[in-house]
Amino acid sequence: MGRSAEMVVIWFLFTARVIGNEGANRSCIRVAVETWEPYLLVRGTSPPRVSGVMLEVIDTVRKKLGRCVQFKAPELRGMGQQLPNGTWIGLLGVIFKKEADMSGVMVSVTDDRARYFDFSVPITMDEKVLAHKWPRLESDMNGMFKPFTSELWLYLGLVFLVVCGATFLIQWRQPIEPTFSTGTDEASEEKMIQWKDDKGKGMEEREHSSKSLWYSCFWTFSSFIGQPCPWYPSGQSIRIITGIWLLLAMVVSNVYRSNLKAMLILPKVRLPFDNMEELVSSGIKTYLPAQSFVYNAMINAPRDSAMYRLQKQALVHFDARKATEGVLSGLHAVFTGRIIVWYLIHQGFERTRQCPLYIASETFFGAVTFSYAFAKGSALMHEVNPIIQRLKEAGILDHITNNAISNVRFCSKFQTEAASRPLELGDFYGVLLIYLGGLIFSLFAFVAERYNHRHTRRR
């Protein structure tokens, strides 16, 4: 009996030690972590250095359950993707291999993932969006032509040629009597005397035709821009064409001035793209997080879809810092969740007090549910769910998220105010170039007139 009792005591102590070791191992919750700003930021792998607003939630779970927490970062960074052999990599791969009990950051819930993992009660919902750097208003030397489209300018040019040609043909056989200004202007009197002498002598047919073409085009252009002309068409047959042209010139000039004034007072910013088709057509490089929901959707999209064609310009990696700097500097666009884009806008506004990004109007995949992931059949999920539910109902989760992206509320107002800017010298380059061209043309005309005058006198 003595030896049997001794064996019982030894077995009891051994069993208690084993149970105690297992209890000690289970006392800490193993949490798989991965970067998803603003919720978590993970640096390093062994051990990972974790920061972010969701640490408050993890700490609350730890206190309520009375257990410690051990963080585990995946060796192959990413949220998680299933390989062809059925295994998982990334954050979900750590949970799939039972190296972690739950995720420390929310992951999107999909049918494929639900077959291999359990998920907590929904924490938030998010949708996928496209975002790019907000275009700045800069000086434009072609601004004076922007009130009308290039097609409209082309049509106006064609109408000008038609009116000029019609006026020339009608005036072909009619005498040209320029209406020089009367009075004491000696230059005008000399021109009138010279014209009468030429008329008395009789002009050649070629000279008459050239002057008819010159006066017709000169009057057509002068009336269009509202400037006086020393000659105007005469005769009943020409009045219909010239009257319609004067009416058209008045309407076009008024509309041009109104549009130009509106563009200067409230300029309109042209976005590089506003949907997936425009993004693919633009060829702008686009960042997608590796192993993310949007990345898996892109590679599995139908071949004839715009999302599948996005692969040609996709930048896929999981370097959060590199992606953030690239998006904020305008090197590439981003295709990810709206909350992440809001956080990027929050960061940019915090640095420069300006909203750096705009969000395209087209959204994708509807509202996607995000929850904590657990190993399949995990008992821990049933302990965590009541805690998450109470935090959600108390509004604490929303409060944490709103504090992390607090600057976003300023951006809608800022983007409407940022459309105005003072005019710069570059805005007047177009007008100055036209003026310079006019001076050069006038110089050539003056030289030609002097040469023609000397040549005539020699004859």
Side-chain angles (χ1 to χ4, degrees), residues 115-321:
R115 287 197 292 266
Y116 297 92
F117 305 94
D118 286 338
F119 292 93
S120 67
V121 294
I123 298 177
T124 187
M125 302 187 75
D126 195 14
E127 55 187 357
K128 307 303 178 183
V129 296
L130 296 167
H132 193 38
K133 185 176 181 180
W134 184 261
R136 294 182 56 190
L137 286 173
E138 299 178 352
S139 59
D140 186 6
M141 63 180 299
N142 297 322
M144 59 177 297
F145 302 106
K146 295 298 179 66
F148 295 153
T149 63
S150 56
E151 293 182 357
L152 182 55
W153 284 116
L154 178 61
Y155 293 150
L156 289 176
L158 294 176
V159 173
F160 170 81
L161 295 178
V162 170
V163 174
C164 179
T167 306
F168 166 66
L169 292 177
I170 296 176
Q171 296 288 325
W172 176 275
R173 294 298 179 182
Q174 293 185 10
I176 304 175
E177 298 185 2
T179 57
F180 297 111
S181 60
T182 58
T184 60
D185 190 347
E186 297 180 358
S188 299
E189 293 179 359
E190 291 179 0
K191 291 180 181 179
M192 181 62 72
I193 295 172
Q194 182 65 36
W195 180 85
K196 290 181 178 180
D197 291 341
D198 292 340
K199 181 180 179 182
K201 297 176 181 178
M203 294 185 300
E204 297 180 358
E205 186 70 18
R206 179 178 60 82
E207 185 180 0
H208 181 80
S209 300
S210 63
K211 288 189 175 181
S212 296
L213 179 60
W214 163 250
Y215 284 131
S216 298
C217 294
F218 187 37
W219 177 87
T220 304
F221 181 74
S222 299
S223 60
F224 181 73
I225 61 176
Q227 297 298 317
C229 180
W231 174 87
Y232 58 86
S234 60
Q236 298 292 336
S237 56
I238 198 65
R239 290 181 178 178
I240 297 178
I241 295 178
T242 55
I244 295 176
W245 175 247
L246 289 174
L247 178 62
L248 176 64
M250 181 189 68
V251 174
V252 170
S253 61
N254 288 333
V255 173
Y256 175 82
R257 286 194 294 267
S258 301
N259 286 353
L260 184 60
K261 185 184 297 183
M263 292 174 64
L264 294 176
I265 296 175
L266 188 61
K268 182 179 180 180
V269 178
R270 297 186 181 276
L271 302 178
F273 59 86
D274 199 39
N275 52 54
M276 181 63 73
E277 286 286 351
E278 293 179 359
L279 172 61
V280 174
S281 300
S282 67
I284 298 174
K285 296 294 184 180
T286 306
Y287 166 72
L288 292 81
Q291 305 176 23
S292 62
F293 178 85
V294 291
Y295 171 74
N296 294 328
M298 180 186 68
I299 62 177
N300 295 320
R303 290 183 174 272
D304 58 345
S305 64
M307 186 168 297
Y308 183 84
R309 299 197 304 271
L310 183 64
Q311 298 183 42
K312 296 181 180 180
Q313 59 204 70
L315 301 175
V316 182
H317 57 80
F318 208 81
D319 190 338
R321 292 295 182 182

